[in-house]
Amino acid sequence: MSYRKELRVAELAVQRAALLTQRVFHEKAKGTLSKDDKSPVTIGDFGAQALIIHAIRRSFPTDEIVGEEEASSLRENKALADQIWRLVNSTKLEDEAAEEQVGGPIKSQREMLQAIDEGQSPGGSRGRIWALDPIDGTMGFLRGGQYAVCLALIVDGHIKVGVLACPNLPVDDSTPLSADVANDSGEGRGVLFSAVLGSGATSRSLSRGALEKSQSIHMKDVPNITHAIFCESVEAGHSSHSDQADIAKKLGITRQSVRMDSQAKYGSIARGAGDLYLRLPVRADYEEKIWDHAAGDLIVREAGGHVTDVEGRRLDFSLGRTLKENKGVIAAPKAVHEHVLDAVRSVLDSK
Ligand SMILES: Nc1ncnc2c1ncn2[C@@H]1O[C@H](COP(=O)(O)OS(=O)(=O)O)[C@@H](OP(=O)(O)O)[C@H]1O
Ligand SMILES: [Mg+2]
């Protein structure tokens, strides 16, 4: 299957949702709530989820969706629901045909809340399931850093399509990786990464999204691992900075890591702006959600990389809403992945 329609709808839906998040990004008050697990959620998360689910429902009504958010807190908070509705209701793609392909506008606030709640699939190894993280790296989003709007189609447990919008990454694939978003107007920023299984990975400017021609992206060769640029999470609670530093040292890497939030890390290494992404668990009992990795996993693999856990196994997206166990993520170009994994094993064995 070519998954052409799925790719088109996913790209346009993610592009429209990213427009909404960009508006919230520039506002001081982001309508932030705290979820049961204490992680933050903003009006941007809810609005982006509504728009993307609306688009998927229109084109693929029988598909399931595993989404990060649900609307119960909004049903109890009319002011917040109104605020999200104003945003959702006024975010459109400029191109009319494109807007039509993502289902046109949502008709009412009620329909919006319903759409948000349609991301409750339990996931699993059968059927067509979309994994949606409307804002990955919400902490980065709040801090003024990197974040990503992420969508992937998983069919019978295998990722077929992955799309990532990274509104704060430079458009130019060759810009050296850096953590800062600079205090600029956002000009020259905003990338849309996409991949279809077996067809390679691409990038293009987010501002015109799927209406613009894309270019192929590839991971960089790493002739000398000691010069590799590795990226990791900003939050020390999300991955172990100390284990990652030990692994880098073991590999002879002297350069400081680049810390950035969200799946922007996967996109960045896929286009060769960085080389490695290390995500060593801090707590083994924290369950990593599939939506935090699905699109990035495919984009890196299609760009010539391997993505595994610390035991060298591919991430397993077939089990439900979470990955099998939290065994971390090691993403690297194929040619050096085994070498990196040896360093990971040696560091972890010594603990
Ligand atoms: N304890 C713990 N361990 C591992 N991962 C966790 C943990 N807590 C949260 N999360 C998830 O991390 C997602 C953001 O990951 P990042 O790599 O972007 O981290 S960070 O934002 O740089 O800190 C973040 O995604 P969003 O919730 O979509 O923002 C969380 O799903
Ligand atoms: Mg999120």
Side-chain angles (χ1 to χ4, degrees), residues 35 39 68 133 135-140 143 233-235 237-238 260-263 265 277 279 283 286 288-289 291-292 326:
K35 288 194 272 194
S39 67
E68 182 166 340
D133 192 343
I135 295 186
D136 177 45
T138 308
M139 309 273 255
R143 227 190 282 111
S233 292
V234 176
E235 301 288 328
H238 291 184
M260 60 165 68
D261 307 273
S262 87
Q263 293 189 53
K265 295 185 277 293
Y277 170 19
R279 187 180 184 87
R283 290 169 35 203
Y286 177 80
E288 291 268 345
K289 306 292 192 297
W291 55 70
D292 281 336
N326 186 10

Side-chain angles (χ1 to χ4, degrees), residues 44-261:
D45 298 67
F46 290 118
Q49 173 145 331
L51 286 176
I52 292 175
I53 292 185
H54 176 71
I56 296 172
R57 277 275 158 272
R58 283 302 168 93
S59 287
F60 310 106
T62 59
D63 288 4
E64 291 187 27
I65 301 158
V66 174
E68 182 166 340
E69 314 304 342
E70 48 94 20
S72 57
S73 53
L74 301 181
R75 296 185 200 279
E76 290 156 18
N77 188 336
K78 177 91 173 81
L80 203 62
D82 286 347
Q83 209 183 341
I84 298 164
W85 172 238
R86 282 195 294 276
L87 266 172
V88 164
N89 192 229
S90 58
T91 303
K92 287 183 183 51
L93 292 172
E94 260 175 46
D95 185 274
E96 274 178 34
E99 177 67 16
E100 198 45 48
Q101 285 182 65
V102 285
I106 297 179
K107 301 263 161 15
S108 64
Q109 193 174 134
R110 205 169 132 257
E111 204 180 289
M112 175 188 84
L113 294 175
Q114 261 165 10
I116 294 171
D117 271 339
E118 281 180 51
Q120 303 299 313
S121 161
S125 59
R126 287 262 155 268
R128 287 169 51 104
I129 302 170
W130 294 85
L132 163 63
D133 192 343
I135 295 186
D136 177 45
T138 308
M139 309 273 255
F141 181 72
L142 291 169
R143 227 190 282 111
Q146 295 298 338
Y147 72 96
V149 180
C150 317
L151 183 63
L153 173 62
I154 302 172
V155 180
D156 296 336
H158 300 286
I159 308 163
K160 304 292 185 180
V161 177
V163 176
L164 280 184
C166 300
N168 291 335
L169 280 184
V171 179
D172 184 354
D173 288 333
S174 63
T175 313
L177 199 57
S178 92
D180 58 81
V181 185
N183 300 315
D184 59 21
S185 60
E187 216 170 292
R189 291 178 189 271
V191 201
L192 188 71
F193 296 105
S194 310
V196 173
L197 185 69
S199 302
T202 62
S203 79
R204 71 187 102 198
S205 159
L206 178 61
S207 59
R208 304 251 320 129
L211 301 173
E212 185 180 276
K213 213 172 145 3
S214 63
Q215 62 257 0
S216 289
I217 52 169
H218 305 279
M219 294 192 82
K220 225 175 32 217
D221 287 336
V222 188
N224 181 347
I225 195 85
T226 66
H227 295 155
I229 300 173
F230 85 94
C231 44
E232 59 182 351
S233 292
V234 176
E235 301 288 328
H238 291 184
S239 72
S240 171
H241 289 162
S242 63
D243 284 350
Q244 285 146 205
D246 290 346
I247 293 160
K249 196 165 158 210
K250 182 99 202 157
L251 289 166
I253 298 173
T254 49
R255 214 192 286 216
Q256 267 293 324
S257 69
V258 178
R259 290 185 178 164
M260 60 165 68
D261 307 273

